[in-house]
Amino acid sequence: MTNKVTIYIDDLPYQVPDDINLLQACLSLNIDVPYFCWHPAMGSVGACRQCAVMQFQNEEDIRGRLVMSCMTPVTEGMRISFKNEKAHTFRQTNIEAIMTNHPHDCPVCEEGGDCHLQDMTLLSGHIKRRYPGTKRTHNNQYLGPFLNHEMNRCIGCYRCIRFYRDYCGGKDLNVFSSKNNIYFGRAESGNLENEFSGNLAEVCPTGVFTDKPFSKHYIRKWDLQSSPSICTHCSVGCNIYTTERGGIIRKINNRFNDDINGHFLCDRGRFGYQHINHENKLTQVWSRDHQSQKTHILDDNQAHIQLTQWLHEPDAKIFGIGSSRSSIENNAALHKLVGKNNFYAGMPANEINQLTLLINTYESNQINLLSLKDIEQADTVLLVGEDITQTAPRVALSIRQMTKNAGINKAAKFGIKPWQDEALRNITQDTKSPLIIINTHDTQLADVAKQNLNLTPNKQLELLLEIETYLSDDTSHCSELAVAIASDLLNANSPAVITGTHSFDIALLSACLRISAILKILKPNSGFYCASSAVNTLGLSLLCEPEQDLNHLIQNISSNPPSLLIIMETDLYRYFSDKKISNYLDKIKHIVVIEQIITDTVTMADLVLPATSFSEQNSTWINNEGTAQHAYGVMPPNDMRQTPYKWLAQHNSLSDDHKLYLYVQSLDSLLQPLSQFESINKSDFPIARQSLRSSARTAFFANIDVKEYAPKCDEETNLTYSMEGVSAFRQKTLDDSHHKITTPVTGVWSPKWNSNQAINKTPLEDNNNSNLALKIFNTSSTMPFEIPSAGIEKRSLSTITVCPQHHIYINDELASYSSGIQELAPKPLIYINKKQAENLSILPSENLTVISDDYQFTLPCKINNTIADNVVLVPFKEFIRLGKNVQVSSSNKVGEYNE
Amino acid sequence: MNREENNFPTHPLTRFITDNENCWQLNQYQSLGGYDGLKQALTVSGPAVLDEIKESNLRGRGGAGFPTGLKWSFVPQGDDAPHPKYMIVNADEMEPGAFKDRMLLEKTPHQIIEGLIIGGYTLDADIGYIFIRGDYYTAIKHIEIALKECYDNNLLGKNILGSGFNFEIHIHTSAGRYICGEETALINSLEGKRANPRAKPPFPQVAGLWGKPTIVNNVETYCNLPHIINFGSAWFKSLGRFKDSGTKIFGVSGKVKMPGLWELPMGTPIGEIIQNYAGGMCDGYKLKGYLPGGGSTDFLLEKHFDTPMDYDEIGKQRSRMGTGTIIILDDKYCPVAMVLNLVKFFAQESCGWCTPCRDGLPWAAVLLEKIEQGKGELADIQQLEDLCKFAAPGNTFCALAPGAVEPLQSALNFFREDFEQHIEQQSCPYCDIKHAEDKYDK
Amino acid sequence: MTLQNEIPTNEQVELSDVEKAQIDKLLRETPHTSGASIDALKIIQNHRGWVSDASLLSLSVYIDLPLSDLDSVATFYNLIFRQPVGKVVLHPCDGISCDLMGGAKIRKCLSDQLEINNGQTTKDNQFTLISLPCLGACDKAPVMIAHETLFELIQEDNLPVIINGLKEATAK
């Protein structure tokens, strides 16, 4: 809780927190001070000069002094004026100067209508252009599939490189030349390398960097229909706004969530939505007639009749496969239909085991679960066995911010506040909070890590066990390295252990959990975070019994095949080799697949029920730290699509939402609070998904019919598919009125602020009063649980270990349908270091073959000398299909090892 | 006031410049009393030296005139102070009309080095840099040789002259850009970055080069130090004819009979410099106005001739002493063209960080070009005045833009008729042959 | 105009041993590699006359600094040439003190004599003309710097002598 000070703005007193800058204070008080270079996440540098206000020494001082509000800390009793004429004239001239080189592109510029420059120009009062000269122009660059580049529009606020380089650690974007010829781009055209480049479209206050996939189906902001949702392309659960028009999803925008994603999304989340518009999406019910080898399209009735028939066959044995990329509601519906003994998670055994371990530990309250905000505020991080920069990139961005904390503390001694961005960097120089990474190879966080320890999984485990030993006060048998790491953790105030399930090594996970448990006793502020594989992995795991995983499913199918297998949003061919799966599936009489898009599993179905994408359904997802978040669809389901739980509603007697949520609650005590999401759907008044200026209502179907069609009705929620209802901006008033209303906000807007910067016009205490999220693990209840210790003796010694390599543009199934993501996805290769290559007698780009009991593949290899000795990195998609007894061989030599 | 007492010099800075072409070398320098100041300083403590400097009221000679002793007092001292501490000589002289540092750099490199070592000793600094513009080839050569002479003679390196004080000096040549002369931009340049100025706080004395305590002072400022220590602050104060202490290198360029440099007491009236030392205007030319301190100071007129070259006194006349090198505007040269040249210079030298400088100065240049080309309108004068207010001190990130508009605002004040005549006539009354070679819109 | 799909030049040139030795010395003396950027660029330029894309890339690889960092710094400083220059770069002063003494006329004569404008190079690649503001010799205006020499009190008549002298001095 920070202290407050009283400041006087145009002779009126206001109370504001004492640790913010004057600009932030004014904005939070609804005073429209214009600005460009300040950003709430990046602090102040004082470059653009737009935020000038007049400061007075005391009441007698009538002359005053112009100050930049973003660079000025608030102090008790300070007197400033926003309305002062000199200050107003200055701001007006300042933006006039900025606009001297700005092209009159608004009508053809993507940013128009969503443009911070437009808003600030109007707010500053500049309407008449006096500059008689010509405008400087630039050539543009090709920057990859995600961003357009139009440098003529640049106003020189420097935000792009401050974000890209200082915030995200990117190296290839920079500023070139000088004076009024400055140029922001790469040394040469080419793909932007950093995984957060897409945020440039939102960070740039004008149209220099704009969303390129959006340009291909562009619609003005005021014509977009928008809904608050959750990104479904990894397990972090970043908050987004999905926008739509004409049945096509147009763009994903960031939705501010202080605890999770803050102001930024990764590129996978931002651009991975194209599967919704994909030509292969399923919109019809298909029925396969094996005799005639034909596919028929069924209508709704026929589909249900078929399903009923198979469900109620004599001796029917029904299995269901739930999905980690489908909502809690969908999984619960399937669970009810098939019963808990027949419900399988669409995850391999290894993963379910890891998740079970995690959930048991979380419930036992032995560790603190961290949010991403908590991670940013930690002061030491141990990152183990997970290339989180690729599996859950937004977490990596938070870890990167964490490393700046030691510098922030150092600067505080000089009286420099955390938001004084440039001063901070000049004082901080190399000072960093420790980040220790234990992995198989260097990650994208290597540049800010105190140590990058690249080891085989066995050695990683050895090291972790030593650290655990040291922390338990037993200093025997500890290597210097372990002691050093443990000391870093002990010296910290809030150390964090971060890992993930993507190494598929439960022993490593155990070790991490045990270390975290010990740390919690020693350091109450310590914490833990584990990244899992998909948006609802944790949620799905809560519904599963032990041994209800895909590996056991395959065994059970083999010994005692079911008559009906209902596969929901899972592609079995991702987990097993083609041959293996096809053999098993052939044993089953009826296969029903509920899916969004054509996958290999869909081609094996007898009946295909088209499922809605996340944009067409209301859904609840549980992320890595156990926050259940509710998402709203933005458009009615396309064509014949239905939300999976609706497909099943007729058959599992959960005929309405109320029954559905009752059932969800019954599945696990942790899910009790989820009933809250049922009630928020029915609220006092409608909320509009469209802005008041949304146009072309009457013209939309003009080619079909003269009359304007009634907007579709949203049966389940109080959000409307029209502009009728409460508009998208904060309802809270300044003076704590009794009628405090918190609504799901469907977009970012504030009077006179049409761009996403309107997010800064909210009172500071408002924070994140969203009732769309709740934590399911609470500290009040504790279920005792002993975290198993991972004995290293159980692991066999080997010469080579095959490990999975992850990539942001490969890992997620649905995101991979986006064209930009496909373009950037690397070719599948096997990576080894030089020594390993020599051991295998192989040259770079020659082939390596990896063989296991169930599966084998051959790929060319490439050298990466940061990889630990005796580690062979293979693409994750291949790795996951490998069974036991893995061997690596080149055409020249057979190396051996095992899983 | 008898300034000759005890054989104390009246012209401490230039007494080392003799007709001998090797006067800049160590043996010559020492024969005239060089390094006596350093030897004296090493016999007392650093804080004692700092007190003497404060007492002397020495003000920075780079243009801002900030009291040197006060500036240095912010550097953290004592055993807990961060190290290494840096002392930097700002030898990046590039202000239009300024040429005083070149003489000191070429002809008295040891004087500068001695001052730098004294400065280092005072503040317990470890490393010195001489940041010199790359075009001063002769000076660079001389300094490199001078540094070697120092290292060879135990004047630099470890245990200087047996005092236990260690100090090393590196020379760094710039790659162009006027903004490098701004102290925090200079620091960024030394760090191998773009020379954008830094926000203050933190001040360089506390966190400068590589985040460590750093002092940046002008060449001439350092040159005064050996003499203040050697002959005392009382002597130094006695040299000035008005309030400010010591002597200064003043210069005059333009259509005067004898353009050049002279070491004169602080407080010498401007008129005396122009008429007595520079010999007054060339035959056939009359004085129209002058920039008393170089290209970023406000115009003054003949009526200001009595104003002493004293920081505060010139300030009262609404101009600045700046570098002390006077640029003469004669009556045959177009004032609009002069101001255009200066504004174009500053627009071109803008680092590109803040709006008023980056976008406001080119705007002013376009307007001035328009007027000079005979296409001006009366509204253009109003716009120019607005732009001068726009780039006022405090409005910008550093002092480049406020300096840039000083000649302009004073020209609009004193030579308004010229501007109006350009507009009424729709041509430049001064121009016949000459036209600007570099058009603004390249 | 957008340059579509430009393939970045991975062309590198080999840095000479002398260059490497000089750069190594810089790296020893600076607390951070980035501190050597500007001086390293000057070394490259001293040896090659200008800094090409290829030599920039080689430098980037050799001192292990991102290419964009080096280019960002190189394009900021006007005396680092990122385009080829002639054997001699002529820097006549275009500052106010020189202009007051007829500098503009001198520059025009120079331009006419060499038949190039400011920023251009003669056809025989002998001279590049880049005017610079204030060379710090205002009492000897108009002045010019070329080939590390300061030419003072230049008059129209002695321009051809200066040009020829420079041609001879740099003839190899």
Side-chain angles (χ1 to χ4, degrees), chain B residues 260-273:
Chain B
L261 293 166
W262 309 273
E263 181 181 3
L264 298 170
M266 286 291 275
T268 303
I270 301 177
E272 200 176 301
I273 303 176

Side-chain angles (χ1 to χ4, degrees), chain A residues 188 389 421 445 460 597 617 628 635 665 693 769 849 874 879 893:
Chain A
E188 51 207 354
T389 68
D421 188 41
L445 281 171
Q460 290 179 28
I597 197 164
Q617 60 177 292
M635 58 183 179
Q665 288 181 285
R693 293 162 67 192
N769 263 353
T849 303
V874 304
F879 178 86
K893 189 169 172 191

Side-chain angles (χ1 to χ4, degrees), chain A residues 139-142 149-150 165 171-178 186-190 212 429-430 823, chain C residues 1-10 32 53 57 66-73 75-76 82:
Chain A
N139 288 329
N140 300 318
Q141 291 181 321
Y142 173 77
H149 195 219
E150 187 57 62
R165 301 176 62 79
K171 302 269 187 286
D172 53 333
L173 192 75
N174 213 331
V175 58
F176 303 93
S177 190
S178 65
R186 301 181 82 248
E188 51 207 354
S189 281
K212 200 171 194 170
Q429 298 278 330
D430 291 331
E823 205 182 304
Chain C
M1 179 187 86
T2 306
L3 304 165
Q4 277 276 8
N5 280 346
E6 264 200 14
I7 299 156
T9 42
N10 283 320
H32 287 214
D53 287 351
L57 183 56
L67 181 65
S68 76
D69 284 22
L70 281 174
D71 209 8
S72 175
V73 165
T75 53
F76 182 87
R82 288 283 282 119

Side-chain angles (χ1 to χ4, degrees), chain A residues 442-483:
Chain A
D442 271 7
T443 66
Q444 298 279 57
L445 281 171
D447 60 320
V448 288
K450 179 175 174 181
Q451 286 181 299
N452 290 297
L453 301 163
N454 296 330
L455 307 164
T456 62
N458 280 356
K459 289 219 166 71
Q460 290 179 28
L461 183 61
E462 239 176 71
L463 181 56
L464 288 175
L465 291 174
E466 283 182 23
I467 296 172
E468 186 191 336
T469 312
Y470 187 86
L471 290 174
S472 318
D473 239 357
D474 175 5
T475 54
S476 58
H477 312 304
C478 282
S479 64
E480 256 180 55
L481 185 56
V483 172

